[in-house]
Amino acid sequence: MFSKWHLPMIFGASISLFSAANVAAQDAQLPTVTAAKPVVRDVIDSDEFIGRFEAVDEVAIRARVGGYLDEVNFTDGALVKKGDKLFVIDQRPYRTALSQAEATLESTRSSLAFAETQFKRTESLTGTGTLSVSTLDDHRRELLSAQAAVRGAEAAMERAKLDLDYTTITAPLSGRVDRRLISTGNLVQADQTVLTTIVSLDPIDFYFDVDERRLLSYARVARQRGSALQEGGGSLEVMVTIADANEAPFKGKLDFAENRLDQASGTMRVRARFDNPDYILQPGLFGRAELEGSNTYKAVLIPDEAIGADQNERIVYEVREDGTVATKPVRLGPKLHGYRVIRSGMTGDETIVVNGLMRARPGTKVKPEIIELPPEAKAAGSAQ
C-alpha cells in the first residue's frame, strides 16, 4: 500500500502526464500548413507587351515604263539579292526608240558641223569687208541653234537608253519576294501596276506600344545609360517569345521610340531590332516582349500561391514564432524568376504560408511545415 506521503507525488505525476497528453492532442488537432521564408535576391524589373514584327525595309515593285510583260525571272516566295533580275518588259519598242534617238543625234551633229563651217567662213569674210556683220549674226544664230539641237538630241538618246534599261526590273534590296501579281503577256502601266513586293528579313524590327507610366521609367533608365529613348533606347534588352514553344526567346535591343504619345490611347510606339540570320522571324508575326524596366535592386519574392485577397487588397499570412497566424497587406510587383515581387509590406525575414491558405485563419494557431524556396522557381508560380 502507498503511504500518505506517496499520494501527492503520484497525483502530481498524473497531472503532468495528463497536461503533456493534452498539449500533444492539441498539436495534433492544429491545421498543418506549408511555410517558408521569401526569396530575397537582386533582380531587374521586366514588363510584358504584345507586339508585331515588321520588315526593316519593304518595297512594292512597279515598272517605270509601260508595256507588255515579257519575262518573270524568279520563283514565288524565293530569297533574292539586291540587283537580281525579276521582270522584263517587251524591249522592242524601246530599242526602236533608242535607234531613232541615235539617228536624230547623228543628224543634229552633222547640222552642227555644217553650221560651224559656215560661221567660220562668214567670220573670215566679214573681217575683209566682203560680207556684212548682219550675215555673220545670222550664221552665229544658226550655230547656236545647232549646238542646242545636239544637246537636245543627246538628252533624248540618254532618255531612250534609260527607258530601255527600265524594261529590266531588278530587286532594289535583298529579302524575300512575294508571288508574282501579274503574268506575262499582260499590260503594265508605268508607275502604277504593282508587280510584286519584297521584304527584308535580317535584321527585323519588333513594334509594340508602351503606356505612359512605364514609358517614363524606360526613358529614365535610358538617360541613366547616357542615351535618349528616341535615340537608341539606352540599349535596353528586349526578349521576345513567339507562339512556337520549341523556339527559345529571341534577344534584341530597343533602338527607337516615336517623338510623341498618341493622344487617343496615351501610349507611345517603340521599336526593338533583332538579328534574324535563320529567317525564323517573319514580318507580321505576333510576339510577347519582355523588357527590362529598371536597374538592379534587391527584392522580396514569393510564390503567387502564397498571396491571398481581403476585399480590394492583397495579403500574405505570416506565421509567428508561437504558430499564430497574422495577415500582412502587401503591394505586388511584376513576376520574376517564377515568383511575384513584393513592392511593399514585407522585409524578407517573415515566415509565410505558401500552401494551405484555406486552413490559415488570422489569430489562430497552425502547425507549420517549414520548407526552403529555391532562388528560382522551376515553373511559373510554383513553390518548390
Side-chain angles (χ1 to χ4, degrees), residues 201-213:
L201 294 176
D202 184 28
I204 192 168
D205 288 335
F206 184 79
Y207 288 88
F208 56 99
D209 295 329
V210 177
D211 61 85
E212 183 175 341
R213 178 182 63 82

Side-chain angles (χ1 to χ4, degrees), residues 108-123:
T108 56
R109 284 175 175 171
S110 176
S111 299
L112 175 59
F114 178 75
E116 288 175 344
T117 302
Q118 287 291 93
F119 176 75
K120 290 178 180 179
R121 183 182 297 117
T122 304
E123 189 177 31

